[in-house]
Structures are given as C-alpha cells and as structure tokens.
Amino acid sequence: MTIRLLPDALISQIAAGEVVERPASVVKELLENSVDANAKVIQVELEDGGIRAIRIRDDGDGIAAEELPLAVQRHATSKISSLEDLARVLTHGFRGEALAAIGSVSRCSITSKTSAMTHAQRLDNHSGQWSAGPASGPTGTQIEVAGLFDQVPARKRFLKSPATELNYCKDAFTRIALIRPSIQWLLSHQGKPIIRYAAGSAESRIAQCLGTDASSLRIIQITAGPMRIRAWLVPPTQSRTRADDQYFYVNGRSVRDRVLQHAVRSAYSDVLHGDRQPAFLLALDLDPELVDVNVHPAKTEVRFRDGQAVHQAVFRAVRDALGTTLGHRSNDNAVTLNSPIDQFVTGQPRATQFNAHPPIQYLLNNGHQPPAQSAIGPLFMREPSANYTQAPGNDEHPLGFALAQLHGIYILAQNKAGLILVDMHAAHERVVYEALKNQTNTCQSLLTPVSFQATPLEQELLGQYAELIDELGFMLSPLGRNQIAIRGLPALLVRSNPITLVRDTLSELAQHGNTTDIEHRRNELLSRMACHAAVRANRQLSIPEMNALLRDMEKTERADQCNHGRPTWISFPISDLDRLFMRGQ
C-alpha cells in the first residue's frame, strides 16, 4: 500500500470528529466560548434539535475584526501560548479547534463586534472557505451553524431523532448554565422558549434545575488544603429513580469522573433506599496543576494527581453535611456546612453524641432481639434537667413538643412554624441505628486463623494501609513471602467469608485509598438490629416519652429518614393549614 498525505479538507473533518459528535457538541463548545468572553446574556436557538440550525448570541467582549479570520483557523487561540499555560488553563473553550472543526462539517457564519469597533464584522463559510465583510449588530458575538454533517453523510446517519438530539442539547445547555448563575440564559426550539434562567443566586438556579425548593438544599462550602469543595445537595427524602440530576464540576468545567461519583454515592449509601439515586451539584476547585483536563478531547473527563485525597475529602464533606442534626440547622430543612477541612484530612472519628439506649446495650451484649420493653427499662433516654412538658412552639426545638399519638403510629407535635407529623417507628429506628454505629467497632479473633495466597499488590496494600485496616476491625499479618494470615475480623462480620471479605477490602483500598464496603456490610446488620429494637406500631407512648423521642431525633445524625430511606417526619406550616380551611380568603 502506498503512503500518502491526506487532503487538508479530510484532515479537518477527521479532527472535527474529536470535538463535534452531535449538535450538543456544537452547543457546548460555543457556549463555553461565550462564557469565556464574559457574556452576561446568552441565547440559544435550535431547529430540529440542532440538526437543521443552531444560533447562539451573547453580549460578551466580541472578536476584533483583524482577529476574526484567525479565530476559525486550527490551533489558533487567545487562551494559551506555552506548555505551562496549557497545564494551568482555567478557561473553557481553549482548544483552538472548535470553530475550525464546526466549520469543516457545517455551513457556519460568525458576526462579532467589540466595544471599540464602529460596526460588526461577519465571517461566512462557503465550502470550507471563509470570507469576511462588514455587518450590523450589537457588541458581542452571534454564531449560526446550519446543515450539520450535510457534507459528511456517513456521520449524519448516526444522528438520532430531532427529539433525542434536543435532549442532548438541553443537557449540555443546563450543565453550563448551572455553574454560571450570574449569567442570564435562554434556550429556544422551533422559535419557542423551553428553558429560561434569570441571573441570580446559585441556590435559586440549582433549585430550579433540580426541581426542589432552595431552602431545602444542604449546602457545603469547605476548603481542604489546595481544594475547595462546594456542593448543593437535595435531601435524601427527595431521591430519584434515575441518576439524571447529578452534576460534577472541576474548576468550573462539567466532567464525568468515577472518583467523584464513588465518593458521593458512598456518602449517600446510608440514607437511600435500594436503587434510589441522589440529586446534587458538586463543584471542586483546585490548583490546575493538580488535575489533568486534557484526558478527553471534549474535556469531559479529568485525572487527579492525588485521587485518594480528593475521594476522602469529598466523601467526608458530603457525609457530614447529610449527617448534620436538626438542632444545628437554620430552619426545618436547610443546612450549610462551612468549615475547614481538618477533620476530613485527619479522618478522626467524631465523639459519640449520646449514651447507649437499654435496647441497644442489650443487643451489643447478646446479639439478639431484646425482651419485652418493661424488662429492659425506659425506651427513650431522658435528661434529668430537660423539661418534657414545656408548652409547644419553643424556638430551641425544631420538632417542637408532642400533642398526641395518632392510631398508635404517628406523633403529632407543634413547633413555632406549624404542625409536625412523626412516624415513631421510623424515627426511633434511625435513633437506635446511629447509636449502634457509634458504639460497635471491635475486632473478634478467629479461633483458627485463615491464610490465603496474596498477590504482590495485596501484600503492598497490607503494609501501606496497616493502620486503617486495624481501625476497620481486621487483624491481618504477612505470612511468608506470598501469603496473608487472617487472625481477626470486624465483630459484626465474623460470619462472613474471611478471604472474600479481606480481598474485597484490599481491592477497594487499591481503587480509592479508602473502603466503604466494610462499613456498608456492618451497617446492614446494624440496621436490622435497630429495626428489632425500635418501638413498634400500636405501642401507646406517654407525652414525656414522645417528647423524649423528639429530642433524641434533634441530636441524631440523618434523622430525616429511617434506615431504609423513608422520611421520618414532615411539617405542615400554619399558612398551609390556613389555606386548607380558607382562612383569610
């Protein structure tokens, strides 16, 4: 076969395949350029899902007339000039290939004007050749892309229906608009507006997109050495059936990353039921030299220099935000976690917040379901100095004070805002469960040690994470050159297959520098124990007992949902009750 050089047009079309896969790729690249141009208003108009036409207007800085022809040349950019700039780039559309790639597979025109220009300049693409001329238009840039892949039929056949391509475009549009709340955004299709975001706060933008109320978001703002973690978490009780509402950003760029996904999913594992999916936005800002954004041509994937540190910091930040007690929240739902990262770096366990309940102590000592309640003392722990008969509406207690018990299942309580309805079994189950988790972390020696043939990596991990392995409740030691001896397991998992348990733990340590598998298995057992120990339906509680449970809930982490992900309480503001009875109307 003869070796020959490819024609320039074919080279451009091949290169375009790295950047332009579908209309959504065009939308993403052009919107990132608008953001980099300091636009305050960005409008997107689509026809047939972007297959027929894409028009994007912004009021940004614009492109100077003499530079406009350069903007559509390959490897031409204003963002980088050296390899050092590439390693530290924080802008978005910096590749210097997007406009050239788009122009090689479509009919494209660009109209742009800077504040210093007397009139706009227009650049048109005709069969791969660009021509410039004067035009009219405001300060900013307008780009029109028509007939995407008309010149490349083989590529066009792989496009989906207009409806499907529109959904991809909407996703690309939303991912960029979400992290830029100070910009006003408008997306139209077939001349009709379909998404509109007014400039405003991050909370209102995220709440609008995720379909929740801004006051219900759990907000994280934490600095972890060179990392800054910001997150807006939808409460677990508003979980979804699909993972569509999960957004990750690294230095302002939307990414897909398994390290971040695993960290957040692990943090949510103790508050979600079954296959339910959390909804959130997580933004990680760090020194650009600590992350490689050039892993993927479209910049949708990244590689961290220290993925284990990132995983640990994100996991602990999200877990602690979800675990914030009711007593530390500014209102019934919202919580803001705004603190240094010291506790996330050291990984020191937090102090237990309360003593063991009698049913819990019985479970720890015997490992079986407790006998009748009367045989093990009071059901709820009461502080001697606490006033459990105080009048309802006290500001210090988000769950207020009990009024009555409904059908032996629910507790009716009143706080300053209105009515509180508590599922007493679900609530007590969470209280017992959290107490168990804080007090069971022991190792049980095996009567007969077990050994297995270990790989070199497993042996290396045993030495590298020896301290963490001990904290998890294992007693492991090297045995010869290629074997590991298992002399003890976490007490609650002693009936597990020891070799499988150890190997799974070492495998997770190799991937993430930490393991949640042991905690997950242990928590499954504790959850079942807590369910047995929790108060059952139709048990009549006195007012002091109900108030004691409310106080326990307020100081218990993750008390908003039971161990199975169901809500433990809901509130009815007095304004909603007034509306039901048409008061004031």
Side-chain angles (χ1 to χ4, degrees):
M1 299 178 64
T2 303
I3 298 175
R4 59 185 180 277
L5 292 174
L6 295 175
D8 289 341
L10 183 55
I11 292 174
S12 297
Q13 290 178 348
I14 293 173
E18 297 182 354
V19 181
V20 183
E21 299 177 12
R22 54 183 0 114
S25 306
V26 176
V27 171
K28 172 185 177 294
E29 296 289 342
L30 297 185
L31 288 183
E32 288 180 343
N33 281 338
S34 294
V35 169
D36 286 341
N38 302 310
K40 299 300 179 186
V41 179
I42 300 177
Q43 302 177 52
V44 181
E45 299 175 10
L46 305 175
E47 294 182 18
D48 289 346
I51 299 173
R52 178 185 297 179
I54 300 171
R55 283 181 290 275
I56 296 182
R57 302 184 182 90
D58 69 60
D59 62 348
D61 298 336
I63 305 173
E66 64 275 11
E67 295 181 358
L68 193 56
L70 281 176
V72 296
Q73 301 297 315
R74 292 188 64 196
H75 308 305
T77 178
S78 61
K79 314 295 174 63
I80 57 175
S81 59
S82 66
L83 187 60
E84 290 73 18
D85 291 341
L86 183 64
R88 298 191 59 83
V89 70
L90 287 172
T91 51
H92 294 83
F94 68 88
R95 285 180 56 84
E97 294 184 22
L99 293 177
I102 293 169
S104 67
V105 291
S106 69
R107 301 186 302 278
C108 183
S109 67
I110 305 173
T111 303
S112 191
K113 178 182 178 297
T114 66
S115 58
M117 295 168 59
T118 57
H119 59 79
Q121 187 78 357
R122 181 181 177 92
L123 202 63
D124 287 293
N125 176 28
H126 300 285
S127 301
Q129 301 297 317
W130 296 87
S131 60
S136 61
T139 300
T141 302
Q142 174 177 309
I143 299 181
E144 299 181 40
V145 177
L148 186 64
F149 297 138
D150 281 355
Q151 304 171 39
V152 193
R155 294 283 303 280
K156 191 167 186 175
R157 284 196 294 269
F158 283 91
L159 295 180
K160 306 299 183 182
S161 67
T164 300
E165 295 299 339
L166 173 62
N167 285 332
Y168 282 116
C169 290
K170 288 165 63 177
D171 181 68
F173 176 89
T174 299
R175 288 182 180 277
I176 297 176
L178 263 177
I179 202 66
R180 300 287 178 175
S182 62
I183 300 177
Q184 178 181 324
W185 301 80
L186 175 64
L187 174 63
S188 300
H189 185 244
Q190 308 297 91
K192 297 179 180 179
I194 56 175
I195 300 180
R196 187 191 303 271
Y197 294 126
S201 67
E203 287 74 27
S204 60
R205 174 71 56 82
I206 293 167
Q208 180 184 355
C209 176
L210 298 183
T212 189
D213 187 81
S215 64
S216 70
L217 293 172
R218 314 275 181 93
I219 303 172
I220 301 172
Q221 295 187 28
I222 288 177
T223 300
M227 294 182 287
R228 181 188 177 208
I229 302 171
R230 294 173 295 149
W232 292 261
L233 314 175
V234 173
T237 50
Q238 299 179 31
S239 60
R240 317 295 164 84
T241 57
R242 300 177 60 184
D244 295 345
D245 294 327
Q246 300 177 2
Y247 299 92
F248 296 95
Y249 296 86
V250 174
N251 290 341
R253 187 186 300 277
S254 177
V255 300
R256 297 188 301 267
D257 183 75
R258 284 186 291 181
V259 171
L260 297 178
Q261 289 173 345
H262 185 273
V264 175
R265 182 65 192 181
S266 298
Y268 266 95
S269 64
D270 202 27
V271 293
L272 291 180
H273 176 61
D275 295 329
R276 301 290 294 180
Q277 295 290 336
F280 57 85
L281 183 150
L282 185 138
L284 179 66
D285 300 302
L286 71 168
D287 189 324
E289 291 189 350
L290 299 179
V291 56
D292 184 2
V293 299
N294 294 298
V295 177
H296 190 277
K299 304 297 183 290
T300 56
E301 298 176 11
V302 295
R303 182 183 294 115
F304 297 108
R305 180 177 295 181
D306 190 347
Q308 295 178 1
V310 171
H311 184 281
Q312 280 283 80
V314 170
F315 167 72
R316 294 182 183 275
V318 175
R319 185 191 63 180
D320 282 16
L322 294 173
T324 304
T325 62
L326 283 166
H328 288 84
R329 300 186 193 170
S330 56
N331 55 53
D332 285 346
N333 295 309
V335 57
T336 299
L337 185 63
N338 190 351
S339 61
I341 200 70
D342 297 343
Q343 67 269 34
F344 307 137
V345 174
T346 61
Q348 296 298 319
R350 288 164 292 176
T352 300
Q353 297 183 17
F354 39 81
N355 297 322
H357 293 54
I360 297 172
Q361 196 61 55
Y362 188 93
L363 285 167
L364 295 179
N365 294 337
N366 299 275
H368 302 289
Q369 183 174 350
Q373 189 61 45
S374 59
I376 57 175
L379 186 63
F380 309 110
M381 299 303 293
R382 307 182 199 172
E383 301 172 11
S385 60
N387 181 0
Y388 291 105
T389 60
Q390 184 173 345
N394 188 296
D395 289 342
E396 296 179 0
H397 298 296
L399 296 181
F401 287 83
L403 299 174
Q405 190 176 15
L406 182 64
H407 290 295
I409 300 174
Y410 302 106
I411 295 173
L412 299 179
Q414 174 183 335
N415 66 3
K416 185 178 180 180
L419 177 68
I420 302 293
L421 187 62
V422 177
D423 182 330
M424 67 182 195
H425 172 76
H428 192 223
E429 186 178 20
R430 172 59 74 174
V431 170
V432 175
Y433 177 44
E434 292 296 329
L436 280 170
K437 285 164 57 180
N438 284 331
Q439 301 190 37
T440 55
N441 190 24
T442 58
C443 175
Q444 181 169 325
S445 299
L446 299 180
L447 293 176
T448 304
V450 178
S451 63
F452 66 95
Q453 199 82 6
T455 66
L457 176 60
E458 289 172 333
Q459 292 175 312
E460 181 182 344
L461 292 168
L462 177 60
Q464 183 178 353
Y465 296 103
E467 185 175 347
L468 177 57
I469 290 171
D470 288 342
E471 291 176 3
L472 292 172
F474 289 96
M475 190 185 301
L476 308 179
S477 60
L479 188 65
R481 291 186 176 181
N482 55 1
Q483 286 191 325
I484 292 178
I486 307 173
R487 306 184 187 280
L489 293 176
L492 289 174
L493 303 178
V494 72
R495 294 186 179 181
S496 303
N497 183 304
I499 296 176
T500 301
L501 184 61
V502 170
R503 281 202 145 140
D504 288 349
T505 301
L506 293 175
S507 175
E508 197 164 4
L509 287 173
Q511 293 183 55
H512 307 291
N514 195 5
T515 177
T516 58
D517 183 61
I518 297 303
E519 183 179 7
H520 179 69
R521 296 189 191 199
R522 181 177 68 106
N523 288 348
E524 284 183 343
L525 292 174
L526 295 181
S527 179
R528 289 196 289 270
M529 293 166 63
C531 188
H532 286 302
V535 60
R536 298 288 181 176
N538 298 319
R539 185 187 188 279
Q540 295 302 311
L541 302 181
S542 66
I543 292 294
E545 284 179 320
M546 287 187 275
N547 281 325
L549 176 57
L550 298 180
R551 300 294 79 80
D552 279 346
M553 289 176 64
E554 289 169 352
K555 62 185 180 181
T556 298
E557 297 181 351
R558 291 166 280 274
D560 292 326
Q561 54 280 316
C562 73
N563 314 345
H564 313 293
R566 296 190 296 108
T568 58
W569 67 279
I570 56 175
S571 63
F572 299 90
I574 196 69
S575 58
D576 290 354
L577 298 178
D578 288 342
R579 192 178 303 112
L580 288 174
F581 292 96
M582 302 178 68
R583 290 179 58 88
Q585 298 182 19

